[in-house]
Amino acid sequence: MSAAKLSVAELRAAYGQAQVLFDVSLEIAAGEAVALLGRNGAGKSTTFRAILGLIARRSGRIVFDGEDVSRLPAYEIARRGLGYVPEDRRIFSDLTVEENLQVGRQPPRSNAPTWTLERLFAIFPNLRELRGRAGARISGGEQQMLTIARTLMGNPSLLLLDEPSEGLAPRIVEQMIEAIREMKREGLSLFVSEQNLAFARLVAERVYVIEKGKIRFAGTMSEFDARPDVRDAYLAF
Amino acid sequence: MSFYFVQFVTGLASASSLFLVASGLSIIFGVTRVVNFAHGAFYMLGAYIGYTLIDRLGAGVGFWPAIGLSAFAVAAIGTLIEMLLLRRIYDAPELFQLLATFAVALVVEDLALLIWGPSDLLGPRAPGFKGAIDLLGQPFPTYDLLLIALAPLVLALIWLIFRRTTWGVLVRAATQDREMVAALGVNQKWLFTSVFALGVFLAGLGGALELPRQAANHTMDLQVITEALVVVVIGGLGSVPGTFLAAIIVSELNAFGILVFPKISIVLVFLVMAIVLIVRPWGLLGRAEAAARTASGAIISRWRPFGAPGRIAAALAVAFAALLPIAAGNYFVGVATEVLIFMLYAASLHFLLAGGGLASFGHAAYFGLGSYGAAIALKSFGLGMETAIVAGIVLGLVGALVFGWFCVRLSGVYFAMLTLAFAQIAWSIAYQWTDVTGGDNGIIGVWPSAWAASPARFYWLTLALSAGSIALLRAITFSPFGYALRALRDSTLRAETIGIERRRVQWMGFVIAGGFAALAGALYAFLKGSVFPDNISISLSIDGLVMVLLGGVGTVSGGVVGAAIYRSLSIWVISHTDYSRLVLGALIIVLVVMFPKGLVGAFEAWRSARTGARLQGQSP
Ligand SMILES: Nc1ncnc2c1ncn2[C@@H]1O[C@H](COP(=O)(O)OP(=O)(O)OP(=O)(O)O)[C@@H](O)[C@H]1O
Ligand SMILES: [Mg+2]
């Protein structure tokens, strides 16, 4: 693994008094797609939020593109090309689809694919017809696409995707997989949290398993498949 | 008939300037969640700076550019305050910013007095709009017509800015979900600063444009801030069209109310606000507040009852306080009594605000009801002091039962505003019902019974009652009821799913807080020997908030400490300087910046850091 895109060392995070992450360390190489697997409440979302600096109480070292970003505010980290797609979508419901995309817009970056409205509408065709519609008045699947498209508008070089398949109809999940593959073809690095193992298999080459705020397993997808005990102990499917 | 029409049109003109101020307040709140108490002060500054600029530059650049320049000057001052002060405390518990802006308002008031002197300053008429036209046989100032045209223009402009510019889109997004906007790489700092600048600009413009209508004076700020708050709330927080509508309603109510109830037309407005909030809990055009994402880490340490050391320390403090009259003279004992009373008052509000998460902006209502209940029982019914105090408490409890029933139907800022409305209604009753309350002259001769008449004895009585009540409030905080109240504060949804009835619990909490505030009010009546409508004033309600916030809302009873410090300080400052607001305001600003968790909160944080409650490397 040359030139780590993102490297996280001894990340700890707490909500008020309750500590949730315990020394999480992980690494994503440039161009890689990695899955973060874990049950409900294992700490997947907290890991993402802590990496982006959305949790006040955290410690540890987060290096992105060779720069230590652990003390930077969230918007500064995002501006360096770290895209984040939250699990609960968090569409701006008062804004139109197009305005939602406008909020995410950032200048192009040399080390990342550049997205325009046109290219995004090509991947997420549903959004094209809905561009004038208020965010509150589109379906859950469409919201999921919008939230991804919105983050892509920032031309990130690494995308943190929090449970993209959660609560989606199978047909939409297929579309999502296709979209993610397109992003990978463009050279985008991906870090995807999932409970859906089948989904993770289709998009990721490497796996981290998290449980109770600790990394319990790290390896390639085939190494993971060779360890049914890990799957049985830390994942419930 | 034509008289009423002219009255109506005059109302519209007032609505215009009110709209300018209120829309700024609404925009600022919508994005930053700051209830900008200094907004009235900025409005007043607009008028004063306008006066000076027209005076100095009017001949050179002309009247209108001078007005525009004043608005920009005020916006520049606002921007500085936002960058130097508010930026540091956006992460502090909600309402803390209110404390800061309140302090700014205090400072500005005294600075205006220092710079422009105490007398009213009458500005020039606007060139081209000096005369009047004939409106159905009545003369009507042409300047008012200009103002009437201005409001829809500003409304349209604001609408365009928010809909058609990228800045507007970002601001609207931030209004909805600040964290998500940051996660998308938007620097909210500048967004907040620019929004604040725009809001303050509108306030300054409103103030400067008021010059041809009324002289710049030192009561402008308070007058306009209450009206603007009411307008913003009636219209729906953050909704500019709602603000527009509400400004018209409020101004017309004032215009016609003054014909019917000349003395208390402002109360009519509060009455309407109360009705609107009861019928439409989010204002006319507002929308439900998104469930506030609780700022993680706001609570510094887990709330625990005092252990043995805490109890001993508290007992020692009370015993030590009891010795005071031996060492100190009557004046000092009187001051100490007053401080004790306010410690109780603050503790009761702290219980509601910190324990229940219910920010009452009208807690003085129950303090005042206690005062009046006791005074009326003593003077009109000839009861003794002891019974009169009980009567005061009962009146406070009844008031809290009635008002609280409505208030707990709302939450957040709307709850705060409804409590404020009820306090204003209570104030107006005290002010207006002269036969019973003596109106403006108050009730005098409210002296304690002979056995408690000496300052030292009344001090001991107050010490016993305050200390006992504060201990009781703490006990309630740690009773099952107190846990239920806090569970609702931390997560209403979760608490309700485990079977806690929100309204009933919060209502009871409201009544308990009201009862203890009433006791404080009754004691205050006997300390001063008199009762005035001031005992229910907005400023007393605000004082309560200041004391609690200063102590720290994240603490079990920081309000008690906040009260001791704030009240002693203000008594001392008032007796030593003519510019007490300047000194107090500056002090609060310093404290706010240095201790964003409150004084007790800062102490607790320091202690927990020392005992090493750091993030641990191993699982629990
Ligand atoms: N805002 C919060 N305040 C307090 N505790 C929280 C908060 N958010 C999450 N937690 C706790 O932190 C732990 C990890 O939660 P997290 O959301 O990271 O899990 P997750 O793996 O994303 O789960 P899911 O699959 O359900 O999304 C859980 O025990 C959860 O209860
Ligand atoms: Mg999650």
Side-chain angles (χ1 to χ4, degrees), chain B residues 341 344-345 348 363-374 388-398 400 511-525:
Chain B
I341 290 172
L344 172 57
Y345 172 58
S348 70
H363 204 53
Y366 314 102
F367 185 92
L369 284 174
S371 297
Y372 274 100
I389 290 179
V390 174
I393 298 174
V394 169
L395 192 63
L397 286 174
V398 170
V511 171
I512 291 170
F516 282 106
L519 171 58
L523 288 171
Y524 192 66

Side-chain angles (χ1 to χ4, degrees), chain B residues 305-320:
Chain B
F306 275 146
R311 285 206 187 133
I312 293 169
L316 277 178
V318 173
F320 188 71

Side-chain angles (χ1 to χ4, degrees), chain A residues 39-46 87 162-163 166 193 195:
Chain A
R39 292 195 190 108
N40 281 330
K44 305 183 293 295
S45 304
T46 307
E87 66 184 325
D162 201 354
E163 296 203 45
E166 195 188 8
S193 94
Q195 296 195 57

